[in-house]
Amino acid sequence: QGAATRMDRKIVSVSQNAVVQAESEILGCDRCDSEAKTPFWQILNEFRFYQGDQVLYILPVLATCPNCREAIDEMTCVAPRKLQKTVARKRPALRGQA
């Protein structure tokens, strides 16, 4: 099987709070930081329970680069604060589940 097509992806609208949270995890964007190689959607993935590229994010507002103040959309490459690879996290158990 090849890469997922748009038909295979979930479309997720994230909150403005999630955008702000993801902004706090970046150092700069591809306009101001030569190390910016990670698409912003991958930073958003760190706060969600989706894996890989199975999701297409829709932002309610554009993020802002903390360094140069330029607008960042989900496809803009950014430099993450932590350079470690994203580790898959377990979904927390819901009440009544263990």
Side-chain angles (χ1 to χ4, degrees), residues 27-33 64-72 76:
L27 296 170
C29 70
D30 55 9
R31 293 175 207 91
C32 66
D33 190 326
T64 302
C65 175
N67 190 39
C68 70
R69 311 305 296 165
E70 288 288 329
I72 295 174
T76 302

Side-chain angles (χ1 to χ4, degrees), residues 37-56:
K37 309 244 187 294
T38 304
F40 189 64
W41 67 263
Q42 287 184 354
I43 305 300
L44 289 166
N45 258 1
E46 291 191 19
F47 303 105
R48 302 284 171 265
F49 297 105
Y50 304 106
Q51 295 182 4
D53 60 355
Q54 67 179 217
V55 67
L56 183 64

Side-chain angles (χ1 to χ4, degrees), residues 6-90:
R6 284 185 186 246
M7 300 297 267
D8 297 332
R9 295 182 184 173
K10 294 178 183 173
I11 298 174
V12 177
S13 177
V14 297
S15 68
Q16 186 170 351
N17 188 42
V19 172
V20 171
Q21 187 177 19
E23 280 176 345
S24 72
E25 295 298 319
I26 62 173
L27 296 170
C29 70
D30 55 9
R31 293 175 207 91
C32 66
D33 190 326
S34 62
E35 298 297 314
K37 309 244 187 294
T38 304
F40 189 64
W41 67 263
Q42 287 184 354
I43 305 300
L44 289 166
N45 258 1
E46 291 191 19
F47 303 105
R48 302 284 171 265
F49 297 105
Y50 304 106
Q51 295 182 4
D53 60 355
Q54 67 179 217
V55 67
L56 183 64
Y57 291 108
I58 297 176
L59 306 181
V61 294
L62 293 177
T64 302
C65 175
N67 190 39
C68 70
R69 311 305 296 165
E70 288 288 329
I72 295 174
D73 66 19
E74 57 276 6
M75 299 306 290
T76 302
C77 285
V78 297
R81 284 196 181 280
K82 52 188 172 195
L83 298 175
Q84 46 188 261
K85 192 146 176 97
T86 303
V87 176
R89 296 183 224 172
K90 282 184 75 177

